[in-house]
Amino acid sequence: MTSQNHVSQVDGASHSPWSLWLERLASILRWHPPEEVILLSTAVFVGVGTGYGAVFFIWLIGRITDLRLTFEQRAGIVGLLTFMVVAGLIVGVMVSRWASEAKGHGVPEVMEAIAVRGGRIRPRVAIVKILASGLTIGAGGSAGREGPIVQVGAALGSTVGQVLRFANDRVQTLVAAGAAAGIAATFNAPIAGAIFALEVILGRFSARNFGAVVISAVSASIISRIYLGDQPAFAVPAYPLHHLGELPIYVVLGVLAAIVAVIFIRVLYALEDFFDEWGIPMPLKTALGLLLTGGVALLLPQYEILGPGLHMIGEVIAENVPLAFQTMILLLILKLAATSFTLGSGNSGGVFAPSLFMGAVLGGLVGQAAHALWPDVAINPGAYAIVGMAATFAGAARAPMTAVLIVFEMSNDYKLILPLMLATVIATFFAEALFKESIYTLKLKRKGITIQAGRDVDVLQAVTVGEVMSRDFGAVSTNTTLSELSDFFARTHRHGAIVLDEQGKLWGLVTVSDLDRAVEDELPRSTPVTEIGTPRARLVVAYPDETLAEVLTRMGIRGYGRLPVVAREDPTHVVGVIRREEVIRAYNMALARRAELQHRAKRAQLRNIDGTEFVDITLNEGDAAVGKRLVEIAPLLPQDSIIISIRRDGRMLIPHGQTVFQAGDSITAFVRTSDIEQLFQALKTEAKSSSAQA
């Protein structure tokens, strides 16, 4: 006992409560939480922040709407139009001076940030977007709330990721989480918000992305419900599927929704082109856009097309479409025109709500027509209005899962899920057949960015297979047995091998999967690889001079992980192999090239803001640069000039030192105005002048 007490006293002296507390604090500070805990914690923060942002945004729209109604009550039509023009002027100033990304409907800019900039979005975009969109929608602009709050949530997620110095994939996940939170908070639809972020923003699904996106959407929805209530956006009666004969009518509705969606896309971007090419200041464009929107609204007695129109959609559906047929046709046409005027001129807002509005009216038209023809089959026109909303949005955004879920959550009615899914899928596929790009991807396509699975595949047009292929392709001979092949894979840690014949020519390809199937089939270990491999006749190959965009498409369609690279002049001569790892490395390399060019152009522009411009030059046969590499032409170019891009055969190339110029190339260069003549001399006439001097 004495010795034990003595030990206890010694231990107590050496470990006082203060020192024990310090040791515990140190251990806590040294503890590094798992990566998933950090990601989910930041996703919750982004969701809560976006939820409060959505609450403020909806409050702001309400206050500006009240102010607009006050002007309208006091000064009538003049007060309404004056308020809209002033709001348009303010929006134009904000967008042109502080954040050009706030122009338009916002979602394409988020997709671009994910695909091109690793999810990086400037923090100021959130502030400008929420104020500009609040003014646009509150003043009566025909636009939705979802696009702005998606951009706000995405900007918050991006900012958090950048402050915490997260890697690009984490930043991209937080951007998607913010976008999901925006939809969830705005429409009280957390499931649809999560699917929207994965289906439209990221373009791909994974367990990590799904967890962060869902928890962010749920967090935002909780905040929204605390302040805005937990009621669905539309209080609609239950409209069941009364008769199987209705299904063909819903098929027709899906086709018509696709047509309306494509018309909407084409008209919106045609007006955007018109305003962009018009050489007047941005504030005048946005003011004129809202003035035209107001003028279109005056054609209806209650100005029903002003604002998002969600309230009217709810009334139309709840009352089983009480409007006259001619009135609904007018509503559909004028809403399309008003939305195109509002957003095409550069004002800020979303396309989600206008798409739902047009879809509800279209569905009401189809429902009324069907009810008039088959009253015992198509009993409720309101059911077609609900389905029309989802189908039209799906046709415009090419997001069928989001469309089905958001209409389901907004109406809280499951009984129409079968026709909802049918019409939505048909609208998506038919719209895709009519016009390849969605209302979101078309804006990116016009910038030379093609999105595939969340990546900008157009940058891969600038990289050839020969630049990134592996020349160490790990070949085996046709005499190799299964036993030797197994040893080869174990020794080299490869998943595939080129098979060469006795002359060293390409016989085919064999993979680990082929070996696994042979083992399952209990083939003898002495079986040659030619019994299990893919021979050259059935093999897909790549060529060194092809772009990776072409090869990526070929690999993606067939699900291949690697392709042999062969010489064009001799398809049996293997020069390398291209694998998914090389494609990813090439994608990152192409992004780095683009970023470097953009950075250099920005620096040059800052040094000489008033004396620089972008110049387009088309090369013809016999011009100096044709047939030469960029590195050969570079010494002749003006100082500080930059070759930004090359448009060739409808594709955009990001040039590098080994890029060879061809006749027909359309070159975009950044150069001082005073050096334009020297640029032309270097690219077009230098060869002629050199030959003349000789």
Side-chain angles (χ1 to χ4, degrees):
M1 288 291 295
T2 306
S3 61
Q4 288 178 350
N5 288 337
H6 177 69
V7 171
S8 299
Q9 291 171 2
V10 171
D11 289 341
S14 60
H15 296 285
S16 65
W18 177 250
S19 63
L20 288 173
W21 185 87
L22 287 177
E23 288 180 8
R24 290 171 184 167
L25 178 61
S27 65
I28 292 173
L29 293 176
R30 286 193 300 268
W31 178 69
H32 297 288
E35 182 178 339
E36 290 76 12
V37 173
I38 297 174
L39 186 61
L40 294 180
S41 300
T42 51
V44 169
F45 177 81
V46 169
V48 171
T50 304
Y52 277 108
V55 170
F56 172 75
F57 183 49
I58 294 172
W59 174 86
L60 178 65
I61 292 173
R63 302 293 72 74
I64 296 175
T65 301
D66 292 341
L67 190 60
R68 187 246 301 170
L69 292 175
T70 301
F71 270 75
E72 185 181 337
Q73 290 170 358
R74 293 183 178 180
I77 295 174
V78 175
L80 170 65
L81 296 180
T82 301
F83 189 88
M84 295 183 74
V85 168
V86 173
L89 286 170
I90 298 172
V91 170
V93 171
M94 296 173 68
V95 169
S96 60
R97 288 193 177 184
W98 296 313
S100 60
E101 302 96 317
K103 174 187 174 185
H105 44 103
V107 174
E109 284 73 20
V110 177
M111 296 167 66
E112 179 182 356
I114 291 248
V116 178
R117 296 192 298 273
R120 265 62 181 174
I121 301 173
R122 295 190 297 168
R124 72 167 70 174
V125 172
I127 299 173
V128 175
K129 188 69 178 181
I130 206 167
L131 296 177
S133 298
L135 268 173
T136 298
I137 300 170
S142 180
R145 306 183 307 213
E146 83 299 328
I149 203 61
V150 162
Q151 199 169 6
V152 168
L156 176 60
S158 177
T159 302
V160 170
Q162 292 178 66
V163 169
L164 297 178
R165 300 185 180 277
F166 282 173
N168 282 0
D169 59 339
R170 279 195 185 183
V171 175
Q172 291 169 339
T173 300
L174 288 181
V175 168
I183 295 290
T186 306
F187 290 121
N188 192 16
I191 301 175
I195 298 301
F196 175 82
L198 297 171
E199 186 178 28
V200 176
I201 302 298
L202 278 180
R204 57 187 185 271
F205 290 76
S206 73
R208 174 184 294 181
N209 293 336
F210 185 76
V213 163
V214 166
I215 199 168
S216 180
V218 170
S219 302
S221 188
I222 291 172
I223 298 299
S224 175
R225 293 183 181 192
I226 291 173
Y227 292 93
L228 304 176
D230 59 354
Q231 297 300 314
F234 305 130
V236 300
Y239 290 129
L241 180 66
H242 283 285
H243 196 285
L244 289 179
E246 289 187 272
L247 293 180
I249 305 173
Y250 283 112
V251 171
V252 173
L253 175 57
V255 173
L256 292 176
I259 295 172
V260 169
V262 170
I263 292 173
F264 177 38
I265 295 170
R266 301 301 292 265
V267 171
L268 173 61
Y269 283 97
L271 278 172
E272 186 173 297
D273 285 340
F274 172 78
F275 280 102
D276 285 345
E277 293 170 4
W278 200 3
I280 62 174
M282 173 63 77
L284 295 181
K285 295 178 184 179
T286 49
L288 179 60
L290 286 188
L291 179 62
L292 291 171
T293 301
V296 168
L298 296 180
L299 299 176
L300 294 167
Q302 301 299 321
Y303 315 148
E304 289 95 340
I305 61 171
L306 292 180
L310 293 177
H311 179 69
M312 182 182 177
I313 295 174
E315 291 181 353
V316 167
I317 295 174
E319 297 175 16
N320 213 359
V321 192
L323 302 174
F325 201 81
Q326 296 84 349
T327 302
M328 287 194 290
I329 292 177
L330 193 61
L331 274 172
L332 179 61
I333 296 172
L334 294 184
K335 186 65 174 179
L336 190 153
T339 306
S340 301
F341 282 136
T342 298
L343 300 179
S345 60
N347 286 286
S348 187
V351 295
F352 206 121
S355 298
L356 297 180
F357 186 103
M358 288 183 274
V361 174
L362 175 67
L365 285 167
V366 172
Q368 280 197 358
H371 181 71
L373 294 173
W374 306 287
D376 295 332
V377 175
I379 298 176
N380 296 309
Y384 294 87
I386 294 176
V387 174
M389 286 194 299
T392 303
F393 174 73
R398 313 293 156 81
M401 289 188 291
T402 300
V404 169
L405 287 171
I406 197 162
V407 171
F408 163 63
E409 285 192 282
M410 291 174 72
S411 63
N412 203 20
D413 183 10
Y414 184 77
K415 294 182 178 180
L416 279 176
I417 195 70
L418 291 180
L420 197 63
M421 295 171 67
L422 175 65
T424 299
V425 170
I426 289 173
T428 302
F429 281 104
F430 196 67
E432 182 83 20
L434 290 175
F435 190 66
K436 184 178 180 180
E437 302 298 333
S438 74
I439 200 166
Y440 297 137
T441 62
L442 181 57
K443 192 167 188 177
L444 301 178
K445 183 69 174 179
R446 288 144 63 97
K447 294 181 178 181
I449 300 171
T450 301
I451 299 296
Q452 179 177 311
R455 295 182 182 271
D456 174 17
V457 298
D458 255 14
V459 299
L460 295 181
Q461 301 280 12
V463 183
T464 63
V465 172
E467 291 182 76
V468 296
M469 68 182 184
S470 173
R471 289 174 171 79
D472 178 20
F473 46 82
V476 298
S477 72
T478 51
N479 298 322
T480 303
T481 65
L482 298 189
S483 177
E484 293 169 336
L485 181 65
S486 177
D487 292 340
F488 173 82
F489 285 147
R491 185 177 66 255
T492 62
H493 305 289
R494 297 178 186 274
H495 295 87
I498 305 294
V499 182
L500 302 178
D501 62 18
E502 295 176 354
Q503 286 76 39
K505 301 297 185 180
L506 175 64
W507 178 89
L509 182 72
V510 65
T511 66
V512 169
S513 299
D514 297 327
L515 180 62
D516 289 341
R517 282 193 294 270
V519 172
E520 290 176 3
D521 294 340
E522 298 182 352
L523 294 181
R525 294 174 63 83
S526 59
T527 303
V529 294
T530 52
E531 294 294 322
I532 66 170
T534 303
R536 182 165 59 87
R538 294 192 288 113
L539 200 60
V540 177
V541 299
Y543 300 99
D545 57 351
E546 284 186 298
T547 67
L548 275 183
E550 297 169 312
V551 174
L552 181 62
T553 300
R554 207 176 305 148
M555 293 174 71
I557 291 174
R558 295 169 176 84
Y560 292 150
R562 65 190 55 76
L563 295 180
V565 183
V566 299
R568 280 197 182 273
E569 60 275 9
D570 182 7
T572 65
H573 176 53
V574 182
V575 296
V577 65
I578 185 75
R579 296 166 297 188
R580 287 197 182 99
E581 302 93 278
E582 280 82 31
V583 173
I584 294 172
R585 187 170 71 248
Y587 178 77
N588 293 330
M589 183 173 72
L591 285 182
R593 285 178 184 165
R594 172 180 282 181
E596 180 186 0
L597 286 170
Q598 292 173 341
H599 179 63
R600 287 168 57 199
K602 179 64 70 177
R603 287 182 60 188
Q605 195 169 25
L606 289 173
R607 286 199 301 267
N608 193 8
I609 293 176
D610 297 324
T612 54
E613 58 183 284
F614 291 92
V615 178
D616 292 323
I617 302 173
T618 301
L619 297 181
N620 302 312
E621 288 288 352
D623 284 343
V626 173
K628 293 184 179 179
R629 297 175 298 163
L630 177 56
V631 69
E632 298 175 69
I633 297 295
L636 305 175
L637 297 175
Q639 187 178 5
D640 288 335
S641 65
I642 302 170
I643 305 296
I644 299 293
S645 65
I646 300 173
R647 179 66 61 178
R648 177 181 298 166
D649 298 328
R651 304 176 309 182
M652 189 192 73
L653 308 181
I654 305 298
H656 53 91
Q658 301 304 314
T659 300
V660 178
F661 293 104
Q662 298 179 10
D665 284 353
S666 178
I667 300 172
T668 299
F670 184 77
V671 63
R672 290 193 184 96
T673 305
S674 59
D675 291 336
I676 291 178
E677 182 62 30
Q678 183 183 346
L679 179 68
F680 272 86
Q681 289 281 336
L683 295 176
K684 295 184 69 68
T685 62
E686 181 65 28
K688 297 175 183 177
S689 62
S690 297
S691 60
Q693 290 172 3

